[in-house]
Structure formats: structure tokens, C-alpha cells
């Protein structure tokens, strides 16, 4: 299984004339973009130093926001259809209007509001209105949407979700022969591959008939993004497998359970949004989130939890205290790492990971 | 509700509170000398103090008599008033803690229990209060209900969720979609419907029935109070301005926390009469107002006195602020005949829930109408919706209006963030530029 390099892939795609929209984290109706033949290239943690973003943002703003702005300020050729700012948190909310109304970019800037808090019929009706408004906004630039194309996009999305759910389950039950790094590369490839290419990739994933050799220690990870490649490799070296996740970039964007094959796109997109796992950025219920995490930990038999916290990320930091407290009350080992999306792992963090891993090993063979 | 509890509350309301207030006045220490740079202080200060002290004092006797709600500053409180909730505003309480320079202590309690130091200090102070029971207000009642709206920030939702979980009480959230260009019909319908959906929940928690006519009266009073507050702020267009924005930061408390109640309405008439008299008589808040400034963002509560004096001594007066204006800006949308939709428009379009083009246009308008010479922006680590975008707002304003501006990095209520030397250097440089620009 070969996963194309993000930058090279998008470059080639742009050169082929593909419309590409840069999409910031996290939740948006990708299917509507696909139906307009627009490819969504997600911007989470683009590489490179911060050279210009610091002139626009304070030091206490989260690195995802800063790195995204740095990327946008470069006006990269690979993005040619505009930027989409889904409503995720206060900082991304303001960044959208800052880029559109104050900084100014040559491409159009779109926004998409995700309802917050507890959901009911009023929220459902509103979400459908938002979807329709988003479609109308794009129609103003790209012409009328073909309903058949939207249905096909929903079916494609459903197929991808089905594969991802199966792969997640395989991961939890040791039916997947991918190490940590390979697994998260695969999961994150959906951020930039065309949906058809991504589906082909998922179809190549070998789900084993029998469980593979049980890893020496099993870990679950929570946060916005997976740990860096260096940490993932280090965990691989230590014999620790990440068997489940509660990451916004990964499993919080996959429905909690399989959905029926789409018939009505509007209903499908609405249902899909409301059955996503509870997430701090949506202001979801804390008990529901705790219940979901507990279910994942049980299903995956994870022995410990690694919180990979992005510095200054308010939604995550608020929930973090209760999650840690609850896990500790259940005697589940917890490690919290704070990241500013630097690529290198510090010596101190390395030592902490090693110590934490030893604790997990002791639980495996007391 | 027991007869004894109710009786105790009534006695405290009618006799206890006035007696305590009288005793406070009697025991009052010798007032601090007022620096020469200031004009005569506002007489209304005394009444303001009485109102707020009474509100906090009576809150101790409220449990068992009225249901208590903790509310965010941007939430449509009029609806709660229709059910006679006793409302406490944690943001106001945190500001009070900050003003008393106790923010770090309360934040420390929250941090010690696992909340990150990177979170909003209003939230950390409130969580510190919740976990310890500490308060400079004597004692605050535990809430029966939490009521928040993300029209000021998403933070309040995360914060109130944490309280709701800890205290195991209901949380009502009013979801206000961010206005990226203008409110859509769908946004308005969504918010209007949410308000109506709240009624059965509020009836259940309060044990009271909703009456539309009572609600309309409250709405009318709230509207009138906000308009009066707007008139008071308008009076600061006069030269010299009858009060400073640092005064207004204090006088803001009733419009935030007692909005919809007769006490707030009456109070602002008193204040309005006083500022209008001062305008007529040419009495300024500072003795020699040469420069007029605009303040952006929430106050730095633990440095209000320092900043007021620093600027007054340089003959500079803050005559307007985006912050104080927030409780007057969208009142015009309120319409008693169309309560739900008009509340959606009023509460959905407030400054922090509106795009930065709106904010830039508003600031430019304020700079013009208040004859402003310079701008001070407080970049606070606690408030992302207020702070993200300030660098570009400053650039746009200094470029388009040729107006000197400075950004102060600080925090609203956590005094540990204050860097004396850095702020002093920036302020001195700003003052030099301002003086040069006006006389150059």
C-alpha cells in the first residue's frame, strides 16, 4: 500500500486542472464540495516555519490557527478554488473573518457554521437550512448543483465511512498489520486524496482473518491531531500500539455506527453530522463523551490514554481535566503531552513516554 | 418554599439590606484622595455601589425563595426574568475578583484542580470560586440552572458545561450562529425557535408558568434601559466628556447583570441625569481633557485605577470603548410586538458575534463621532473572539485614519500576566506619538 505524498499529490492535481479548495478544521459537508467537482484539501498542520503569521496573530493563539494562516499567506498554487472555514472554535471563527475582511486573499473565502451544544429537532432543521444555504452559495459561483452528483457523492462518502469503520474495528481487535505510523498516515490521507483515490487505498487495506500478534501494550489517544510521526515511531519502537483514538482529525469525523445507504442526500448529511462522536468543539455533553471514550477503551482493551494536547486549544483544555480525573478514578494510566506541532520530540517528552510505557508494560505482565 | 425562608428573604430585602447599606456608609473609611488630574467624581457611584452590594447581599437569602441562575453576559436574560430567577453573572463576579487583585488566587485554585493556565481567567476564577466557595462578595448561592450563549464566545459553553457536570444541574444553551456577513433568515428562525423551546424547561425548573404579557413588559423595560445606557454613552461625545470609560466599566454592571429589572432602569435615569447636567455645566471627568481616546476589548480589571490615572495625568481621556458599547449597540432591533425574532436579531448580532468588517466599521464610526485622537487596544489572552484580528484592525485604523494606536498585552483578571515594564514602555511611546501627532 503506497500512500502518495501530500504536497506532490496536490501539486499534480492542481496542474491537471482540478478545482481545489483549502479547508480548515474540522467538520464540513465534503459531499457538497465533491458534487461541485471541488476537491477539499484540508489544512491542519502544514509544515514550515512561522514567518508571516506572527504579524497577524498573538503568541497565545493555537499553532493550528497560526500554521494555517502561514499557509494561506503564501497563496499556494495548489489551492485554486478558495478557502473554507468551518466554525470550530473562537480562534478559527475569527481567523475566517480576519482573512476575508482584513487581510484579504485573492481567492474566495467561504464559511460553514456547525451548530453547538445539545441537539434536538430545532437544531436538525437548522442544520438542513445551513446545508441548503451552503449549496446556494456555491451555486452562485459554480452553477446549479446536479442532484444525482450529490447523491453519488453521498454514496461515495458512505462507502468511505464503511471502510473506515471496519478498519477502526480491525485496529481495535488486532486484525490490522499496520504500525502506528502507517495507520495514522492512512487515516490522515483522507485530508488530501480525492475521495475515489482514498477509497481505492482503503480497499487495499488488508484486514486479517485472525488477530495478529498482540502488541505488548495497548494505548488510546485523544486530542485534535495524532502525535507526530516521531512519537508514533517511538511508540512503535517501544512496542506500544495505539489501538483506538478520540482525535478530531480522525475518529471524531467518522460516524459512531454504520449508516444506511443514502437515498436522500439532505437527510443523509444531516444524520451523519448528528451521529458523529461527541466532540469538545461542538460543545457536546460531557457524560456522552465520557461514555463514548469508555466504550472505545473497553472495545479496544486499551490500558492507558495519551492526551496529545495542542497548546492553547480551549475546547480540548476545558474537557481535559474531567476526562483525566475520570480515567484516573478508574485507575487508568494517563499521559498528557503538549504540542505546538513541532516535528521533533523533546528529550523530556521522550523520557515521560518511556516511563508511561513501562507502567503499561507492568499492567500487561504484573 | 418554606414560610420561614420566604419571610427571612422579605425581612432581609426590606430591612436587612437597607440596614447593612446604611451601616456600610456609616463605617465608610475616609475616601481616597482624588488626584488633581481628575474632575469631581460622579455622585451616582454611591448608588451604584449600593445596588450591587444589595444584589450580592440578598443573593445569600434567595435559595428556597427563588430559583438561582448563573448567566453569561450576552445571554437573553429577559426570558429568565419572566420566571423570576435570581441571576448571578459569573463574569461580573470574576471581574470583581480581578479588580480586587485576587484573580491569581482563584485561578490558582482552578489550576490546582487540573484546569489549564491557558484557559480564560474569568472561567478559571469562577471555577476556583465553585471549587472553594471563596468570594469577595461574602457568599454566592449555588445555581439551580445555568444559562449561557456563545454569542460572546464558545468558551462560555465549555466553561458552563464543566460547571453543569460538576454540580449536576441543567444547562440551557442559546446557540447564536456567528454572523460572517449578515444574519440569514435561517439563523433568525433557529434562534427564535430555541428561545421558545426553552419555555417548558424554564417552567419545569422554576415551577412557574410563562405569561407572554409579563415577558413583554420585561422586554420593554430591558429595551428602555439599554437605550438609556446608550444615551449615557452618547453624552461622552461632549468635550470635555462627563465621565471616563473607566467610570463606564463600573457603571456597566447593572446593564449586564440586572438588565430587565426596574432597579437597573431607575439607576440609569439617575446616571443619565447626572452626566447630562455635567455636560451642560461643562464638568469633565478629567480636569484638563486635551486628548480623546478609544479603548478596545474588556477592561484590565486589576489595573483600572493605574490606567485611569496614567492617562488622566497626561490629559488623555477615554471617551468611548467597543466593550461598553456592546450593551447598547443592537438594542434597536428589540421589538415587543415580535419578541422572538427581534431577540434573535439583538442577541445574534452583538459585536463579538459579528465579523471583523463590522467591528472595523463600528470602530471607525466611533472614532469619528467621539472625536477620538488615539486608540488603545487590550490584547487579552483570555478572550480569543475579542483579540484574534486586533493586529489587522490596528493596521487598518492607523492606515485609513492616520490614528496613533497601541496594543497592550495583558489579561482581564489574572494579574500574573501583567508586565509592568513592557506596558509602561509601550504606553510612554504611544503618548509621545499621540502628543506629536496632535501638535505636529
Amino acid at each position: 500500500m503506497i500512500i502518495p505524498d501530500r504536497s506532490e499529490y496536490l501539486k499534480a492535481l492542481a496542474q491537471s486542472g482540478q478545482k481545489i479548495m483549502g479547508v480548515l478544521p474540522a467538520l464540513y459537508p465534503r459531499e457538497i464540495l465533491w458534487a461541485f467537482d471541488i476537491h477539499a484539501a484540508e489544512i491542519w498542520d502544514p509544515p514550515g516555519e512561522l514567518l508571516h503569521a506572527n504579524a497577524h496573530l498573538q503568541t497565545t493563539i493555537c499553532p493550528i490557527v497560526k500554521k494555517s494562516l502561514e499557509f494561506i499567506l503564501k497563496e499556494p498554487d495548489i489551492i485554486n478554488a478558495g478557502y473554507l472555514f468551518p466554525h470550530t472554535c473562537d480562534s478559527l471563527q475569527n481567523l475566517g473573518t480576519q482573512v476575508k475582511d482584513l487581510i484579504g486573499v485573492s481567492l474566495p473565502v467561504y464559511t460553514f457554521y456547525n451548530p453547538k451544544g445539545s441537539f434536538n429537532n430545532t437544531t436538525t432543521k437548522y442544520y438542513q437550512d445551513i446545508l441548503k444555504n451552503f449549496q446556494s452559495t456555491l451555486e452562485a459561483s459554480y452553477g446549479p448543483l446536479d442532484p444525482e452528483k450529490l447523491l453519488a457523492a453521498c454514496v461515495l462518502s458512505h462507502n468511505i465511512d464503511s471502510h473506515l469503520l471496519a478498519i477502526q474495528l480491525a485496529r481495535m481487535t488486532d486484525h490490522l498489520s499496520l504500525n502506528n505510523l502507517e495507520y495514522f498516515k492512512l487515516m490522515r490521507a483522507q485530508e488530501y486524496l480525492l475521495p475515489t483515490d482514498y477509497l481505492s487505498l482503503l480497499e487495499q487495506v488488508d484486514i486479517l482473518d485472525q488477530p495478529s500478534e498482540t502488541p505488548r501494550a495497548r494505548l488510546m489517544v485523544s486530542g485534535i491531531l495524532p502525535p507526530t510521526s516521531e512519537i508514533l515511531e517511538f511508540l512503535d519502537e517501544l512496542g506500544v500500539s495505539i489501538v483506538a483514538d478520540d482525535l478530531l482529525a480522525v475518529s471524531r469525523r467518522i460516524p459512531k455506527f454504520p449508516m444506511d445507504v443514502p437515498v436522500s442526500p439532505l437527510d443523509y448529511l444531516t444524520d451523519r453530522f448528528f451521529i458523529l462522536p461527541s466532540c469538545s468543539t461542538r460543545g457536546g455533553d460531557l457524560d456522552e463523551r465520557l461514555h463514548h471514550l469508555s466504550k472505545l477503551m473497553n472495545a479496544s482493551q486499551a490500558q492507558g490514554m495519551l492526551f496529545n494536547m495542542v497548546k492553547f486549544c480551549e475546547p480540548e483544555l476545558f474537557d481535559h481535566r474531567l476526562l483525566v480525573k475520570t480515567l484516573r478514578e478508574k485507575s487508568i494510566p494517563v499521559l498528557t503531552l503538549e504540542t505546538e506541532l513541532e516535528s521533533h520530540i523533546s528529550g523530556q517528552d521522550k523520557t515521560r513516554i518511556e516511563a508511561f510505557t513501562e507502567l503499561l508494560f507492568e499492567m500487561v505482565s504484573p | 418554599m418554606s414560610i420561614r425562608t420566604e419571610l427571612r428573604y422579605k425581612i432581609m430585602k426590606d430591612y436587612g439590606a437597607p440596614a447593612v447599606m446604611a451601616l456600610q456608609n456609616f463605617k465608610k473609611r475616609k475616601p481616597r484622595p482624588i488626584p488633581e488630574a481628575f474632575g469631581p467624581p460622579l455622585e451616582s457611584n454611591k448608588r451604584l455601589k449600593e445596588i450591587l452590594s444589595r444584589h450580592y447581599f440578598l443573593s445569600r437569602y434567595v435559595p428556597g425563595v427563588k430559583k438561582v441562575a448563573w448567566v453569561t453576559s450576552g445571554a437573553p436574560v429577559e426570558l429568565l426574568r419572566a420566571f423570576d430567577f435570581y441571576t448571578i453573572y459569573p463574569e461580573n463576579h470574576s471581574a470583581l475578583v480581578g479588580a480586587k487583585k485576587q484573580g491569581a488566587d482563584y485561578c490558582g485554585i482552578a489550576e490546582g484542580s487540573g484546569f489549564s493556565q491557558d484557559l480564560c481567567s474569568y472561567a478559571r476564577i469562577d471555577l476556583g470560586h465553585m471549587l472553594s466557595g471563596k468570594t469577595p462578595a461574602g457568599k454566592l448561592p449555588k445555581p439551580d440552572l445555568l444559562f449561557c450563549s456563545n454569542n460572546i464566545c464558545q468558551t462560555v459553553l465549555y466553561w458552563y458545561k464543566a460547571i453543569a457536570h460538576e454540580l449536576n444541574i441543567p444547562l440551557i444553551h442559546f446557540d447564536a450562529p456567528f454572523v460572517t456577513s449578515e444574519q440569514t433568515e435561517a439563523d433568525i428562525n433557529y434562534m427564535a425557535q430555541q428561545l421558545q423551546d426553552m419555555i417548558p424547561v424554564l417552567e419545569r425548573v422554576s415551577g412557574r408558568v410563562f405569561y407572554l404579557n409579563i415577558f413583554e413588559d420585561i422586554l420593554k423595560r430591558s429595551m428602555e434601559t439599554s437605550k438609556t445606557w446608550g444615551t449615557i454613552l452618547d453624552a461622552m461625545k461632549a468635550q470635555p466628556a462627563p465621565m471616563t470609560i473607566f467610570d463606564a466599566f463600573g457603571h456597566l454592571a447593572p446593564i449586564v447583570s440586572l438588565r430587565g429589572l426596574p432597579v437597573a432602569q431607575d439607576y440609569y435615569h439617575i446616571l443619565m441625569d447626572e452626566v447630562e447636567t455635567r455636560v451642560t455645566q461643562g464638568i469633565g471627568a478629567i480636569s484638563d481633557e486635551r486628548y480623546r481616546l478609544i479603548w478596545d476589548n474588556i477592561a484590565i480589571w486589576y489595573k483600572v485605577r493605574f490606567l485611569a490615572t496614567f492617562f488622566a495625568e497626561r490629559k488623555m481621556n477615554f471617551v468611548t470603548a467597543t466593550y461598553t458599547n456592546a450593551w447598547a449597540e443592537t438594542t434597536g432591533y428589540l421589538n415587543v410586538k415580535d419578541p422572538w425574532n427581534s431577540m434573535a436579531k439583538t442577541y445574534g448580532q452583538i459585536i463579538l458575534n459579528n465579523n471583523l468588517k463590522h467591528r472595523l466599521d463600528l470602530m471607525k464610526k466611533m472614532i469619528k463621532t467621539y472625536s477620538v485622537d488615539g486608540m488603545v487596544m487590550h490584547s487579552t489572552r483570555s478572550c480569543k473572539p475579542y483579540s484574534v484580528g486586533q493586529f489587522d484592525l490596528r493596521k487598518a485604523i492607523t492606515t485609513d485614519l492616520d490614528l496613533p494606536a497601541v496594543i497592550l498585552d495583558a489579561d482581564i483578571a489574572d494579574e500574573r500576566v501583567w508586565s509592568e515594564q513592557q506596558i509602561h514602555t509601550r504606553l510612554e511611546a504611544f503618548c509621545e506619538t499621540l502628543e506629536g501627532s496632535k501638535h505636529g
Side-chain angles (χ1 to χ4, degrees), chain A residues 145-327:
Chain A
L145 178 72
D146 178 354
E148 291 303 315
K149 281 180 97 167
L150 182 57
L151 181 61
C154 290
V155 172
L156 183 57
S157 169
H158 177 264
N159 253 329
I160 290 172
D161 283 344
S162 304
H163 276 83
L164 286 172
L165 279 169
I167 290 168
Q168 273 190 325
L169 183 65
R171 183 76 184 170
M172 285 197 266
T173 54
D174 307 318
H175 285 73
L176 209 60
S177 59
L178 297 176
N179 63 27
N180 294 320
L181 188 61
E182 290 165 338
Y183 177 71
F184 282 109
K185 264 192 177 172
L186 171 72
M187 299 312 268
R188 294 198 64 185
Q190 65 176 314
E191 293 167 16
Y192 61 94
L193 291 185
L194 283 170
T196 42
D197 286 351
Y198 190 53
L199 182 60
S200 306
L201 191 68
L202 295 177
E203 284 166 349
Q204 293 168 42
V205 175
D206 191 16
I207 294 180
L208 309 171
D209 294 332
Q210 297 296 319
S212 60
E213 193 187 330
T214 308
R216 290 195 306 171
R218 308 171 73 80
L219 190 61
M220 182 164 161
V221 62
S222 176
I224 299 291
L225 285 162
T228 59
S229 301
E230 208 172 300
I231 293 179
L232 292 173
E233 280 178 318
F234 187 50
L235 288 169
D236 280 325
E237 278 171 34
L238 294 170
V240 178
S241 182
I242 297 176
V243 287
D245 82 83
D246 164 53
L247 297 167
L248 177 57
V250 186
S251 77
R252 282 190 229 165
R253 301 199 296 161
I254 304 168
K256 275 187 284 192
F257 45 80
M259 295 177 67
D260 291 338
V261 178
V263 180
S264 151
L266 196 61
D267 290 340
Y268 171 76
L269 293 175
T270 309
D271 291 346
R272 187 181 185 279
F273 177 77
F274 289 106
I275 63 163
L276 293 176
S278 180
C279 175
S280 61
T281 66
R282 295 199 296 173
D285 183 70
L286 281 168
D287 283 327
E288 193 187 319
R289 185 155 183 219
L290 282 168
H291 177 72
H292 179 68
L293 292 190
S294 169
K295 221 170 122 182
L296 282 180
M297 290 209 79
N298 287 337
S300 63
Q301 295 181 309
Q303 296 145 332
M305 177 73 94
L306 168 64
F307 287 97
N308 189 47
M309 305 297 287
V310 176
K311 180 87 175 151
F312 303 119
C313 176
E314 274 214 337
E316 287 293 285
L317 287 173
F318 265 103
D319 283 9
H320 176 253
R321 179 227 180 216
L322 178 70
L323 301 183
V324 170
K325 192 172 162 235
T326 309
L327 292 170

Side-chain angles (χ1 to χ4, degrees), chain A residues 55-56 58 60-61 87 90 93-94 97-98 111 113 115-116 122 126 280 284 287 311-312 314-315 319 321, chain B residues 113 115 118 120 150 154-155 158 161 165-166 175 177-178 180 187 190 197 356 379 384-385 387-388 391-392:
Chain A
H56 300 271
Q58 288 89 336
T60 50
I61 305 303
H87 195 283
D90 287 323
Q93 162 197 289
N94 270 36
T97 166
Q98 190 176 2
T111 55
Y113 189 75
K116 307 290 185 299
T122 303
Y126 178 58
S280 61
D287 283 327
K311 180 87 175 151
F312 303 119
E314 274 214 337
D319 283 9
R321 179 227 180 216
Chain B
S113 93
F115 287 104
D118 292 330
C120 160
N150 57 344
Q154 311 307 307
T155 301
Y158 317 140
K161 251 174 45 181
H165 191 274
E166 189 82 23
D175 186 20
F178 186 72
T180 48
D187 294 338
Y190 173 51
D197 290 347
L356 291 172
S379 166
K384 302 291 186 283
S387 304
V388 174
F391 289 6
D392 288 301

